Amino acid sequence: LVLLAMPLTTIPFSMSSERVSERRLAAAYPSLFESFREYPQAFEKWFEDHFGLRSTMIRFYRQTRFELGLFDSNAQVVEGKDDWLFLSGGGEGDPLLAYSGAIGFEESELDQLKLYFQKWKSWLDHRGISFLVLVAPNKVSVYPEHAPDGLPRSPYGTRTDQFLQRIKKTDVTVLFPIEALIEMKAEGSDLYYKLDTHWNVKGAFAVYRELARSLPGSSRFLETDFRFDENRRVGGDLSAMLGVESDWMDFEYRVALTKGEWASSEGEWAPVGNPRREFSMGDSELPKALVVHDSFMEPIGGLLARHFSNATFSSERALRSDLILETRPDLVILEFTERTLHTYLKEALPQE
């Protein structure tokens, strides 16, 4: 009886409105003014979300399935070889489906993407601003050997290949550093986390080296300017999406400068929920930059900032003319990951 009563007695301690691992909000307690017909169903949803020890039992269930190598069929994460996890889950942003060629772009969509980047290039050119696009490769593009069995690469190329072929016919500079990552991967280091979607600091440095060729060279880093301190870390965004704790370990690298100095931080703020960071090198001879980016840019930011007198990093992910006019850069860098390329089909063109 005590065991049966425990879930009921813990309900007052299970009132949180967040279900972080389920990526949703819990059902709210129904109002007493709900209609007679709707109240029972609304109360049942609330009770199911706040049942005592619910979170504990769900974590235990997920952890048990994870340790047994059993993943839910509707999960956004799949297990590959050698304890590697990969983002999946279906939909337009599924990296595994894109890699296999199961999803691609129609000709009209390729034309639309080409128009988007060309229009922004033209708008920036008219104002004397250079433009560079950086596409971060999906983890499966760099580590297909760790992907689940039965995942062949499309013999006709991926939709990223489609886009690169189409954009090659324009004057838009697009960097897709897959070859630089594969070359550094051959040196023996993991460049992406096993339990996370992102590249690590060494992967970021491989991309930086490739990107630096298109940047002012006075502050270019060499690998000898760094010391990579190796650490271990547990978990990542993919294991968090599964709602489990894993004792699988990832290599993590922290960077220490052996030569020169980092750019000075001028502050961080979040106008309308879009965080920005600003860095300065105090050298007026260097140009100014605006970097619009996603989370893949985080480990590269300190490296890039040394190339500019002032660099503003905005995580808005899409270009905005008002932001560009506000920061008045000499160069705009737009960075996004391969799996989000399709989202630019819905982004706004610049207003002339």
Side-chain angles (χ1 to χ4, degrees):
L1 290 177
V2 173
L3 292 176
L4 292 175
M6 282 183 64
L8 296 176
T9 60
T10 58
I11 286 179
F13 305 101
S14 306
M15 301 298 287
S16 172
S17 62
E18 292 188 80
R19 294 290 177 264
V20 177
S21 65
E22 298 173 54
R23 305 173 73 84
R24 67 179 181 87
L25 293 176
Y29 189 84
S31 169
L32 294 175
F33 297 101
E34 296 272 359
S35 70
F36 177 77
R37 292 183 178 180
E38 295 175 353
Y39 185 87
Q41 184 178 6
F43 179 83
E44 182 180 0
K45 289 182 178 179
W46 172 85
F47 185 78
E48 288 175 352
D49 262 4
H50 296 86
F51 186 74
L53 301 180
R54 175 185 184 276
S55 296
T56 301
M57 289 187 284
I58 287 177
R59 283 198 301 270
F60 177 77
Y61 170 77
R62 288 177 170 172
Q63 191 71 37
T64 301
R65 289 181 60 84
F66 178 77
E67 298 296 343
L68 293 174
L70 303 173
F71 286 68
D72 293 335
S73 60
N74 62 344
Q76 292 183 291
V77 182
V78 297
E79 184 179 5
K81 304 183 187 75
D82 306 315
D83 298 337
W84 283 62
L85 300 181
F86 289 88
L87 183 68
S88 184
E92 286 298 309
D94 190 321
L96 301 188
L97 291 180
Y99 182 81
S100 68
I103 52 176
F105 289 127
E106 302 289 342
E107 285 295 315
S108 60
E109 291 176 321
L110 291 169
D111 288 338
Q112 192 173 340
L113 287 171
K114 176 183 172 184
L115 177 66
Y116 175 82
F117 290 102
Q118 275 189 308
K119 283 289 187 181
W120 274 108
K121 174 72 164 58
S122 176
W123 187 89
L124 291 165
D125 281 347
H126 185 68
R127 289 156 180 81
I129 303 171
S130 302
F131 184 39
L132 175 64
V133 179
L134 170 63
V135 184
N138 292 329
K139 183 163 75 170
V140 68
S141 299
V142 182
Y143 288 96
E145 68 273 20
H146 295 300
D149 287 325
L151 184 75
R153 191 181 193 279
S154 169
Y156 306 105
T158 66
R159 63 181 181 177
T160 303
D161 295 328
Q162 290 180 287
F163 166 72
L164 293 174
Q165 285 297 320
R166 186 60 56 94
I167 208 70
K168 188 185 295 184
K169 302 174 183 178
T170 73
D171 59 350
V172 180
T173 301
V174 177
L175 176 64
F176 182 58
I178 185 72
E179 292 182 3
L181 285 162
I182 291 175
E183 180 180 340
M184 190 166 183
K185 165 188 157 183
E187 297 175 10
S189 296
D190 285 344
L191 307 181
Y192 283 67
Y193 295 113
K194 292 183 177 182
L195 309 180
D196 201 289
T197 56
H198 297 84
W199 51 42
N200 59 31
V201 168
K202 281 200 171 183
F205 185 78
V207 174
Y208 163 75
R209 286 194 303 191
E210 190 73 10
L211 181 58
R213 297 174 183 173
S214 304
L215 301 178
S218 60
S219 298
R220 181 176 176 180
F221 276 125
L222 302 175
E223 193 161 2
T224 54
D225 297 336
F226 288 111
R227 185 181 72 248
F228 291 100
D229 295 330
E230 184 177 286
N231 294 284
R232 291 281 199 163
R233 79 171 197 173
V234 177
D237 59 4
L238 293 175
S239 57
M241 289 170 68
L242 289 173
V244 300
E245 296 180 2
S246 171
D247 58 0
W248 297 353
M249 304 293 286
D250 257 325
F251 282 109
E252 181 177 44
Y253 302 97
R254 300 187 184 280
V255 178
L257 273 182
T258 59
K259 179 182 178 182
E261 297 180 354
W262 295 107
S264 300
S265 174
E266 300 296 326
E268 183 172 342
W269 64 102
V272 199
N274 291 303
R276 294 187 203 169
R277 296 174 297 152
E278 187 173 335
F279 296 90
S280 173
M281 280 298 292
D283 184 350
S284 60
E285 297 297 317
L286 294 173
K288 294 175 62 178
L290 170 65
V291 184
V292 180
H293 64 91
D294 62 16
S295 54
F296 274 71
M297 178 56 65
E298 296 300 326
I300 307 179
L303 305 176
L304 288 185
R306 281 178 50 96
H307 288 261
F308 305 101
S309 61
N310 180 276
T312 300
F313 291 79
S314 172
S315 60
E316 303 202 21
R317 302 194 182 197
L319 297 171
R320 277 184 29 223
S321 55
D322 60 334
L323 176 60
I324 296 169
L325 295 174
E326 175 191 339
T327 54
R328 297 163 56 187
D330 299 297
L331 168 68
V332 169
I333 298 175
L334 174 62
E335 179 274 324
F336 55 88
T337 189
E338 191 179 351
R339 67 174 181 269
T340 61
L341 174 58
H342 69 283
T343 64
Y344 290 90
L345 291 168
K346 300 178 181 178
E347 295 295 345
L349 298 175
Q351 298 297 316
E352 298 295 341

